[in-house]
Coordinates of all heavy atoms in Angstrom, one line a residue:
M1 N 22.2 -8.1 0.4 CA 23.2 -7.8 -0.6 C 22.9 -6.5 -1.2 O 21.7 -6.2 -1.5 CB 23.2 -8.9 -1.6 CG 24.1 -8.6 -2.8 SD 24.3 -9.9 -4.1 CE 22.9 -10.9 -3.9
E2 N 23.9 -5.8 -1.4 CA 23.7 -4.4 -2.0 C 23.5 -4.6 -3.5 O 24.3 -5.3 -4.2 CB 25.0 -3.6 -1.8 CG 24.9 -2.2 -2.2 CD 26.1 -1.4 -1.8 OE1 26.6 -1.6 -0.6 OE2 26.6 -0.7 -2.6
K3 N 22.5 -4.0 -4.0 CA 22.1 -4.1 -5.4 C 22.8 -2.9 -6.2 O 22.8 -1.8 -5.6 CB 20.6 -4.0 -5.6 CG 19.9 -5.2 -5.0 CD 18.4 -5.0 -5.2 CE 17.6 -6.1 -4.6 NZ 16.2 -5.9 -4.7
H4 N 23.2 -3.2 -7.4 CA 23.6 -2.1 -8.2 C 22.4 -1.4 -8.8 O 22.3 -0.2 -8.8 CB 24.5 -2.6 -9.4 CG 24.9 -1.6 -10.3 ND1 25.8 -0.6 -10.0 CD2 24.4 -1.2 -11.5 CE1 26.0 0.2 -11.0 NE2 25.1 -0.1 -11.9
R5 N 21.4 -2.2 -9.2 CA 20.1 -1.6 -9.7 C 19.0 -2.4 -9.1 O 19.1 -3.6 -8.9 CB 20.1 -1.8 -11.2 CG 21.2 -1.0 -11.8 CD 21.0 -0.9 -13.3 NE 22.1 -0.1 -13.8 CZ 22.2 0.4 -15.0 NH1 21.3 0.2 -15.8 NH2 23.3 1.0 -15.4
S6 N 17.9 -1.8 -8.9 CA 16.8 -2.5 -8.3 C 16.1 -3.4 -9.3 O 15.3 -4.3 -8.9 CB 15.8 -1.5 -7.7 OG 15.3 -0.7 -8.7
G7 N 16.3 -3.2 -10.6 CA 15.7 -4.0 -11.6 C 16.0 -3.4 -13.0 O 16.7 -2.4 -13.1
T8 N 15.6 -4.1 -14.0 CA 15.8 -3.6 -15.3 C 14.5 -3.0 -15.9 O 13.4 -3.2 -15.4 CB 16.3 -4.8 -16.2 OG1 15.2 -5.8 -16.2 CG2 17.6 -5.4 -15.7
E9 N 14.7 -2.3 -16.9 CA 13.6 -1.6 -17.6 C 12.5 -2.6 -18.1 O 11.3 -2.3 -18.1 CB 14.0 -0.7 -18.7 CG 15.1 0.2 -18.4 CD 16.5 -0.4 -18.4 OE1 16.9 -1.2 -19.3 OE2 17.2 -0.2 -17.4
D10 N 12.9 -3.8 -18.4 CA 12.0 -4.8 -19.0 C 11.4 -5.7 -18.0 O 10.8 -6.7 -18.3 CB 12.7 -5.6 -20.1 CG 13.9 -6.2 -19.7 OD1 14.2 -6.2 -18.5 OD2 14.6 -6.8 -20.5
G11 N 11.6 -5.4 -16.7 CA 11.0 -6.1 -15.6 C 11.7 -7.4 -15.2 O 11.2 -8.2 -14.5
H12 N 12.9 -7.6 -15.7 CA 13.6 -8.8 -15.3 C 14.2 -8.7 -13.9 O 14.1 -7.7 -13.3 CB 14.7 -9.1 -16.4 CG 14.2 -9.7 -17.7 ND1 13.9 -8.9 -18.7 CD2 13.8 -10.9 -18.0 CE1 13.4 -9.6 -19.7 NE2 13.3 -10.8 -19.3
A13 N 14.9 -9.7 -13.5 CA 15.4 -9.8 -12.2 C 16.3 -8.6 -11.8 O 16.9 -8.0 -12.7 CB 16.2 -11.1 -12.0
S14 N 16.5 -8.4 -10.5 CA 17.4 -7.4 -10.0 C 18.8 -7.7 -10.5 O 19.2 -8.9 -10.5 CB 17.4 -7.3 -8.5 OG 16.1 -6.9 -8.1
M15 N 19.6 -6.7 -10.8 CA 20.9 -6.9 -11.3 C 21.9 -6.4 -10.2 O 21.6 -5.4 -9.6 CB 21.2 -6.2 -12.6 CG 20.2 -6.6 -13.7 SD 20.2 -8.3 -14.1 CE 21.7 -8.4 -15.2
H16 N 23.0 -7.1 -10.1 CA 24.0 -6.8 -9.0 C 25.4 -6.6 -9.6 O 25.8 -7.2 -10.6 CB 24.0 -7.9 -8.0 CG 22.7 -8.1 -7.4 ND1 22.3 -7.4 -6.3 CD2 21.7 -8.9 -7.7 CE1 21.1 -7.8 -5.9 NE2 20.7 -8.7 -6.8
S17 N 26.1 -5.7 -9.0 CA 27.5 -5.4 -9.5 C 28.4 -6.6 -9.1 O 28.1 -7.4 -8.3 CB 28.0 -4.1 -8.8 OG 28.2 -4.4 -7.4
V18 N 29.6 -6.5 -9.7 CA 30.6 -7.5 -9.4 C 30.9 -7.5 -8.0 O 31.1 -8.6 -7.3 CB 31.9 -7.3 -10.3 CG1 33.0 -8.2 -9.8 CG2 31.5 -7.6 -11.8
Q19 N 31.1 -6.3 -7.4 CA 31.4 -6.2 -6.0 C 30.3 -6.8 -5.1 O 30.6 -7.6 -4.1 CB 31.6 -4.7 -5.6 CG 32.9 -4.1 -6.2 CD 32.8 -3.8 -7.7 OE1 31.7 -3.7 -8.2 NE2 33.9 -3.8 -8.4
A20 N 29.1 -6.6 -5.4 CA 28.0 -7.1 -4.6 C 27.9 -8.6 -4.8 O 27.7 -9.4 -3.8 CB 26.7 -6.5 -5.0
A21 N 28.2 -9.1 -6.0 CA 28.2 -10.5 -6.3 C 29.3 -11.2 -5.5 O 29.1 -12.3 -4.9 CB 28.3 -10.8 -7.8
A22 N 30.4 -10.6 -5.5 CA 31.6 -11.2 -4.7 C 31.2 -11.3 -3.2 O 31.5 -12.3 -2.6 CB 32.8 -10.3 -4.9
A23 N 30.6 -10.3 -2.7 CA 30.2 -10.3 -1.3 C 29.2 -11.4 -1.0 O 29.3 -12.1 0.0 CB 29.7 -8.9 -0.9
F24 N 28.2 -11.5 -1.9 CA 27.2 -12.6 -1.8 C 27.8 -14.0 -1.8 O 27.4 -14.8 -1.0 CB 26.2 -12.4 -2.9 CG 25.1 -13.5 -2.9 CD1 24.1 -13.4 -1.9 CD2 25.1 -14.5 -3.8 CE1 23.1 -14.4 -1.9 CE2 24.1 -15.4 -3.8 CZ 23.1 -15.4 -2.8
L25 N 28.8 -14.2 -2.7 CA 29.4 -15.5 -2.9 C 30.6 -15.7 -1.9 O 31.1 -16.8 -1.8 CB 29.9 -15.6 -4.3 CG 28.9 -15.6 -5.4 CD1 29.5 -15.5 -6.8 CD2 28.0 -16.8 -5.3
N26 N 31.0 -14.7 -1.2 CA 32.2 -14.7 -0.3 C 33.4 -15.1 -1.1 O 34.2 -16.0 -0.7 CB 31.9 -15.7 0.9 CG 32.9 -15.4 2.0 OD1 33.3 -14.3 2.2 ND2 33.2 -16.5 2.7
V27 N 33.6 -14.4 -2.2 CA 34.8 -14.6 -3.1 C 35.3 -13.2 -3.5 O 34.7 -12.2 -3.2 CB 34.5 -15.5 -4.3 CG1 34.0 -16.9 -3.9 CG2 33.4 -14.8 -5.2
S28 N 36.4 -13.2 -4.2 CA 36.9 -11.9 -4.6 C 36.2 -11.4 -5.9 O 35.7 -12.3 -6.6 CB 38.4 -12.1 -4.9 OG 38.6 -12.8 -6.1
P29 N 36.2 -10.1 -6.1 CA 35.6 -9.6 -7.3 C 36.3 -10.2 -8.6 O 35.7 -10.5 -9.6 CB 35.9 -8.1 -7.3 CG 35.9 -7.8 -5.8 CD 36.6 -9.0 -5.2
Q30 N 37.6 -10.5 -8.5 CA 38.3 -11.1 -9.6 C 37.8 -12.5 -9.9 O 37.7 -12.8 -11.1 CB 39.8 -11.1 -9.4 CG 40.6 -11.6 -10.6 CD 40.4 -10.7 -11.8 OE1 40.6 -9.4 -11.7 NE2 40.1 -11.2 -13.0
Y31 N 37.5 -13.2 -8.9 CA 36.9 -14.6 -9.1 C 35.6 -14.4 -9.9 O 35.3 -15.2 -10.8 CB 36.7 -15.3 -7.8 CG 36.0 -16.6 -7.9 CD1 36.8 -17.7 -8.2 CD2 34.6 -16.8 -7.8 CE1 36.2 -19.0 -8.4 CE2 34.0 -18.0 -8.0 CZ 34.8 -19.1 -8.3 OH 34.2 -20.4 -8.4
V32 N 34.7 -13.5 -9.5 CA 33.5 -13.3 -10.2 C 33.7 -12.9 -11.7 O 33.1 -13.5 -12.6 CB 32.6 -12.2 -9.6 CG1 31.4 -11.8 -10.4 CG2 32.3 -12.6 -8.1
I33 N 34.6 -12.0 -11.9 CA 35.0 -11.6 -13.3 C 35.5 -12.8 -14.1 O 35.1 -13.1 -15.2 CB 36.0 -10.5 -13.3 CG1 35.3 -9.2 -12.8 CG2 36.6 -10.3 -14.7 CD1 36.2 -8.1 -12.5
D34 N 36.4 -13.6 -13.5 CA 36.9 -14.8 -14.1 C 35.8 -15.8 -14.5 O 35.8 -16.4 -15.6 CB 38.0 -15.5 -13.3 CG 39.2 -14.7 -13.1 OD1 39.5 -13.8 -13.9 OD2 40.0 -15.1 -12.2
R35 N 34.8 -16.0 -13.6 CA 33.7 -16.9 -13.9 C 32.9 -16.3 -15.1 O 32.4 -17.1 -15.9 CB 32.8 -17.1 -12.7 CG 33.4 -17.9 -11.6 CD 33.7 -19.3 -11.9 NE 32.6 -20.2 -12.2 CZ 32.3 -21.3 -11.5 NH1 33.1 -21.7 -10.5 NH2 31.3 -22.0 -11.9
I36 N 32.7 -15.0 -15.1 CA 31.9 -14.4 -16.2 C 32.6 -14.6 -17.5 O 32.1 -15.1 -18.5 CB 31.7 -12.9 -15.9 CG1 30.7 -12.7 -14.7 CG2 31.1 -12.2 -17.2 CD1 30.7 -11.3 -14.2
V37 N 33.9 -14.3 -17.5 CA 34.7 -14.4 -18.8 C 34.8 -15.8 -19.3 O 34.8 -16.1 -20.5 CB 36.1 -13.8 -18.5 CG1 37.1 -14.1 -19.7 CG2 36.0 -12.3 -18.3
S38 N 34.9 -16.8 -18.4 CA 35.0 -18.2 -18.8 C 33.6 -18.8 -19.2 O 33.6 -19.9 -19.6 CB 35.6 -19.0 -17.6 OG 34.7 -19.2 -16.6
G39 N 32.6 -18.0 -18.9 CA 31.2 -18.6 -19.3 C 30.5 -19.3 -18.1 O 29.5 -19.8 -18.3
G40 N 31.2 -19.3 -17.0 CA 30.6 -20.0 -15.8 C 29.6 -19.2 -15.0 O 29.0 -19.7 -14.1
L41 N 29.4 -17.9 -15.4 CA 28.4 -17.1 -14.7 C 27.9 -16.1 -15.8 O 28.6 -15.4 -16.4 CB 29.1 -16.3 -13.6 CG 28.2 -15.3 -12.8 CD1 27.0 -16.1 -12.2 CD2 29.0 -14.6 -11.7
A42 N 26.6 -16.1 -15.9 CA 25.9 -15.2 -16.9 C 25.9 -13.8 -16.4 O 25.7 -13.6 -15.2 CB 24.5 -15.7 -17.2
A43 N 26.2 -12.9 -17.2 CA 26.2 -11.5 -16.8 C 25.9 -10.6 -18.0 O 26.1 -11.0 -19.2 CB 27.5 -11.1 -16.2
R44 N 25.4 -9.4 -17.8 CA 25.2 -8.5 -18.8 C 26.2 -7.4 -18.7 O 26.5 -6.9 -17.6 CB 23.8 -7.8 -18.6 CG 23.4 -6.9 -19.8 CD 22.0 -6.5 -19.6 NE 22.0 -5.3 -18.7 CZ 21.0 -4.7 -18.1 NH1 19.8 -5.3 -18.2 NH2 21.1 -3.7 -17.4
H45 N 26.8 -7.0 -19.8 CA 27.8 -5.9 -19.8 C 27.1 -4.6 -20.0 O 26.4 -4.4 -21.0 CB 28.8 -6.1 -20.9 CG 30.1 -5.6 -20.7 ND1 31.3 -6.3 -20.8 CD2 30.5 -4.3 -20.2 CE1 32.3 -5.5 -20.5 NE2 31.8 -4.3 -20.1
D46 N 27.2 -3.7 -19.0 CA 26.5 -2.5 -19.0 C 27.6 -1.4 -18.9 O 28.1 -1.1 -17.9 CB 25.6 -2.4 -17.9 CG 24.7 -1.1 -17.9 OD1 24.5 -0.6 -19.0 OD2 24.4 -0.6 -16.8
G47 N 28.0 -0.9 -20.1 CA 29.0 0.2 -20.1 C 30.4 -0.5 -19.7 O 30.8 -1.4 -20.3
A48 N 30.9 0.0 -18.6 CA 32.2 -0.4 -18.2 C 32.1 -1.5 -17.1 O 33.1 -1.9 -16.6 CB 33.1 0.7 -17.6
E49 N 30.9 -2.0 -16.8 CA 30.8 -3.0 -15.7 C 29.9 -4.1 -16.1 O 29.1 -4.0 -17.1 CB 30.3 -2.3 -14.5 CG 28.9 -1.7 -14.6 CD 28.5 -1.0 -13.3 OE1 29.1 -1.2 -12.3 OE2 27.6 -0.2 -13.4
Y50 N 30.0 -5.2 -15.4 CA 29.1 -6.3 -15.5 C 28.0 -6.3 -14.5 O 28.2 -5.8 -13.4 CB 29.9 -7.6 -15.3 CG 30.9 -8.0 -16.3 CD1 32.2 -7.9 -16.1 CD2 30.4 -8.5 -17.6 CE1 33.2 -8.3 -17.0 CE2 31.4 -8.8 -18.5 CZ 32.7 -8.7 -18.3 OH 33.6 -9.1 -19.2
L51 N 26.8 -6.7 -14.9 CA 25.7 -6.8 -14.0 C 25.2 -8.3 -14.0 O 25.1 -8.9 -15.1 CB 24.5 -5.9 -14.4 CG 24.9 -4.4 -14.4 CD1 23.7 -3.6 -14.9 CD2 25.3 -3.9 -13.0
I52 N 24.9 -8.8 -12.8 CA 24.6 -10.2 -12.7 C 23.2 -10.4 -12.0 O 23.0 -9.7 -11.0 CB 25.7 -11.0 -11.8 CG1 27.0 -10.7 -12.4 CG2 25.4 -12.5 -11.8 CD1 27.9 -9.9 -11.6
A53 N 22.4 -11.2 -12.5 CA 21.1 -11.5 -11.9 C 21.2 -12.3 -10.6 O 22.0 -13.2 -10.6 CB 20.1 -12.2 -12.9
I54 N 20.3 -12.0 -9.7 CA 20.4 -12.7 -8.4 C 20.2 -14.2 -8.6 O 20.8 -15.0 -7.9 CB 19.4 -12.1 -7.4 CG1 19.6 -12.8 -6.0 CG2 18.0 -12.3 -7.8 CD1 20.9 -12.5 -5.3
E55 N 19.3 -14.6 -9.5 CA 19.1 -16.0 -9.8 C 20.4 -16.7 -10.2 O 20.6 -17.9 -9.8 CB 18.0 -16.2 -10.8 CG 16.6 -15.8 -10.4 CD 16.3 -14.3 -10.5 OE1 17.2 -13.6 -11.0 OE2 15.2 -13.9 -10.1
D56 N 21.2 -16.1 -11.0 CA 22.4 -16.7 -11.5 C 23.4 -16.8 -10.3 O 24.2 -17.7 -10.2 CB 23.0 -15.8 -12.6 CG 22.2 -15.9 -13.9 OD1 21.6 -17.0 -14.2 OD2 22.0 -14.9 -14.6
L57 N 23.4 -15.8 -9.4 CA 24.3 -15.8 -8.3 C 23.8 -16.9 -7.3 O 24.7 -17.7 -6.8 CB 24.2 -14.5 -7.5 CG 24.9 -13.3 -8.2 CD1 24.7 -12.0 -7.5 CD2 26.4 -13.6 -8.5
Q58 N 22.6 -17.1 -7.1 CA 22.1 -18.2 -6.3 C 22.4 -19.5 -6.8 O 22.8 -20.5 -6.1 CB 20.6 -18.0 -6.0 CG 20.2 -16.8 -5.2 CD 18.7 -16.5 -5.2 OE1 18.0 -16.8 -6.2 NE2 18.2 -15.8 -4.2
A59 N 22.3 -19.7 -8.1 CA 22.7 -21.0 -8.8 C 24.2 -21.3 -8.6 O 24.6 -22.4 -8.3 CB 22.3 -21.0 -10.2
L60 N 25.0 -20.3 -8.8 CA 26.4 -20.4 -8.6 C 26.8 -20.8 -7.2 O 27.6 -21.6 -6.9 CB 27.2 -19.2 -9.1 CG 28.7 -19.3 -9.0 CD1 29.3 -20.5 -9.7 CD2 29.4 -18.0 -9.5
K61 N 26.1 -20.1 -6.3 CA 26.4 -20.3 -4.8 C 26.0 -21.8 -4.5 O 26.8 -22.4 -3.8 CB 25.6 -19.4 -4.0 CG 25.9 -19.4 -2.5 CD 25.3 -18.3 -1.7 CE 25.9 -18.2 -0.4 NZ 25.5 -17.0 0.3
A62 N 24.9 -22.3 -5.0 CA 24.6 -23.7 -4.8 C 25.6 -24.6 -5.4 O 26.0 -25.6 -4.7 CB 23.2 -24.0 -5.3
T63 N 26.1 -24.3 -6.6 CA 27.1 -25.1 -7.2 C 28.4 -25.1 -6.4 O 29.0 -26.2 -6.1 CB 27.4 -24.6 -8.6 OG1 26.2 -24.8 -9.4 CG2 28.5 -25.4 -9.3
L64 N 28.8 -24.0 -5.9 CA 30.0 -23.9 -5.1 C 29.9 -24.6 -3.8 O 30.8 -25.3 -3.3 CB 30.4 -22.4 -4.8 CG 30.8 -21.6 -6.0 CD1 31.0 -20.1 -5.7 CD2 32.0 -22.1 -6.7
R65 N 28.7 -24.6 -3.2 CA 28.4 -25.3 -2.0 C 28.5 -26.8 -2.2 O 29.1 -27.6 -1.4 CB 27.0 -25.0 -1.4 CG 26.7 -25.6 -0.1 CD 25.4 -25.2 0.5 NE 25.4 -23.8 0.7 CZ 24.4 -23.0 0.2 NH1 23.5 -23.4 -0.6 NH2 24.5 -21.7 0.4
R66 N 27.9 -27.3 -3.3 CA 28.0 -28.8 -3.6 C 29.5 -29.2 -3.9 O 29.9 -30.2 -3.4 CB 27.2 -29.1 -4.9 CG 25.7 -29.2 -4.6 CD 24.9 -29.7 -5.8 NE 25.1 -29.0 -7.0 CZ 24.4 -27.9 -7.3 NH1 23.4 -27.4 -6.5 NH2 24.6 -27.3 -8.5
E67 N 30.2 -28.4 -4.6 CA 31.6 -28.7 -4.9 C 32.4 -28.7 -3.6 O 33.3 -29.6 -3.4 CB 32.2 -27.6 -5.8 CG 31.7 -27.8 -7.2 CD 32.2 -26.6 -8.1 OE1 32.9 -25.7 -7.6 OE2 31.9 -26.6 -9.3
T68 N 32.1 -27.8 -2.7 CA 32.8 -27.8 -1.4 C 32.5 -29.1 -0.6 O 33.4 -29.7 0.0 CB 32.5 -26.5 -0.6 OG1 32.9 -25.4 -1.3 CG2 33.1 -26.5 0.8
E69 N 31.2 -29.4 -0.5 CA 30.8 -30.6 0.2 C 31.4 -31.9 -0.4 O 31.9 -32.7 0.4 CB 29.3 -30.7 0.2 CG 28.6 -29.7 1.0 CD 27.1 -29.6 0.9 OE1 26.5 -30.4 0.0 OE2 26.4 -28.8 1.5
M70 N 31.5 -31.9 -1.7 CA 32.1 -33.1 -2.3 C 33.6 -33.2 -2.0 O 34.1 -34.3 -1.7 CB 31.9 -33.1 -3.8 CG 30.4 -33.4 -4.2 SD 30.0 -33.2 -6.0 CE 31.5 -33.6 -6.9
A71 N 34.3 -32.0 -2.0 CA 35.7 -32.0 -1.7 C 36.0 -32.4 -0.3 O 36.9 -33.2 0.0 CB 36.3 -30.6 -2.0
L72 N 35.1 -31.9 0.7 CA 35.3 -32.3 2.1 C 35.0 -33.8 2.3 O 35.7 -34.4 3.1 CB 34.3 -31.4 2.9 CG 34.7 -30.0 3.1 CD1 33.6 -29.2 3.8 CD2 36.0 -29.8 3.8
Q73 N 34.0 -34.3 1.6 CA 33.8 -35.7 1.7 C 34.9 -36.6 1.2 O 35.3 -37.6 1.8 CB 32.5 -36.1 1.0 CG 32.1 -37.6 1.2 CD 31.8 -37.9 2.6 OE1 31.1 -37.2 3.3 NE2 32.5 -38.9 3.1
A74 N 35.5 -36.1 0.1 CA 36.7 -36.8 -0.5 C 37.8 -36.8 0.5 O 38.5 -37.8 0.7 CB 37.1 -36.2 -1.8
L75 N 38.1 -35.7 1.1 CA 39.1 -35.6 2.2 C 38.8 -36.5 3.3 O 39.7 -37.2 3.9 CB 39.3 -34.2 2.6 CG 40.0 -33.2 1.7 CD1 39.9 -31.8 2.2 CD2 41.4 -33.6 1.5
A76 N 37.6 -36.5 3.8 CA 37.2 -37.4 4.9 C 37.4 -38.9 4.5 O 37.9 -39.7 5.3 CB 35.8 -37.1 5.3
D77 N 37.0 -39.2 3.3 CA 37.2 -40.6 2.8 C 38.7 -41.0 2.8 O 39.0 -42.1 3.2 CB 36.5 -40.8 1.5 CG 35.0 -40.7 1.5 OD1 34.4 -40.7 2.6 OD2 34.4 -40.5 0.4
E78 N 39.5 -40.1 2.3 CA 40.9 -40.4 2.2 C 41.5 -40.5 3.6 O 42.4 -41.4 3.8 CB 41.6 -39.2 1.4 CG 43.1 -39.5 1.1 CD 43.7 -38.5 0.2 OE1 43.0 -37.8 -0.5 OE2 44.9 -38.4 0.3
S79 N 41.1 -39.6 4.5 CA 41.6 -39.7 5.9 C 41.3 -41.1 6.5 O 42.1 -41.7 7.2 CB 41.1 -38.6 6.7 OG 41.6 -37.3 6.2
R80 N 40.0 -41.5 6.3 CA 39.6 -42.7 6.8 C 40.4 -43.9 6.2 O 40.8 -44.8 6.9 CB 38.1 -42.9 6.5 CG 37.5 -44.2 7.1 CD 36.1 -44.5 6.6 NE 36.2 -44.8 5.2 CZ 35.5 -44.2 4.2 NH1 34.7 -43.2 4.5 NH2 35.7 -44.5 3.0
D81 N 40.6 -43.9 4.9 CA 41.3 -44.9 4.2 C 42.8 -45.0 4.7 O 43.4 -46.1 4.7 CB 41.3 -44.7 2.7 CG 39.9 -44.9 2.1 OD1 39.0 -45.5 2.8 OD2 39.7 -44.5 1.0
L82 N 43.3 -43.8 5.0 CA 44.7 -43.8 5.5 C 44.8 -44.0 7.0 O 45.9 -44.1 7.6 CB 45.3 -42.4 5.2 CG 45.5 -42.1 3.7 CD1 46.0 -40.7 3.5 CD2 46.5 -43.1 3.1
G83 N 43.7 -44.1 7.7 CA 43.7 -44.4 9.1 C 44.1 -43.2 9.9 O 44.6 -43.3 11.0
I84 N 43.8 -42.0 9.4 CA 44.2 -40.8 10.1 C 43.0 -40.3 10.9 O 41.9 -40.3 10.6 CB 44.5 -39.7 9.1 CG1 45.8 -40.1 8.3 CG2 44.8 -38.4 9.8 CD1 46.1 -39.1 7.2

């Protein structure tokens, strides 16, 4: 993943731009911004852009994966119940 910055001055995790975060999550940049604004993704506002820590991106990616797996299971269960 392309990093916006290799790290912060205080030694915290690498920070990534919205574009890099979107590529990592395989979503649109607008989706990343919407998650930040809604409080679903932590980010630091740096001037005119948001910066997101890789740990927060990994946590969101795991959440999205679990949500996808649950939705697919629900569809499979419904198909089975309908005899499809």
Side-chain angles (χ1 to χ4, degrees):
M1 173 177 19
E2 188 175 316
K3 296 178 185 177
H4 176 75
R5 299 193 179 190
S6 61
T8 60
E9 307 79 49
D10 56 7
H12 286 97
S14 295
M15 304 300 283
H16 301 274
S17 68
V18 168
Q19 291 75 22
F24 178 74
L25 297 170
N26 197 30
V27 298
S28 70
Q30 187 60 52
Y31 177 84
V32 174
I33 291 169
D34 290 346
R35 289 298 290 238
I36 292 168
V37 171
S38 72
L41 178 61
R44 187 176 85 196
H45 207 129
D46 185 32
E49 63 185 341
Y50 290 107
L51 298 176
I52 307 110
I54 187 65
E55 291 83 4
D56 294 322
L57 291 174
Q58 291 167 334
L60 179 55
K61 189 170 192 171
T63 297
L64 294 175
R65 184 177 300 122
R66 282 190 304 274
E67 289 173 356
T68 298
E69 290 170 357
M70 289 173 32
L72 288 172
Q73 186 60 52
L75 284 173
D77 293 345
E78 185 173 340
S79 295
R80 184 192 65 240
D81 293 345
L82 294 172
I84 298 175

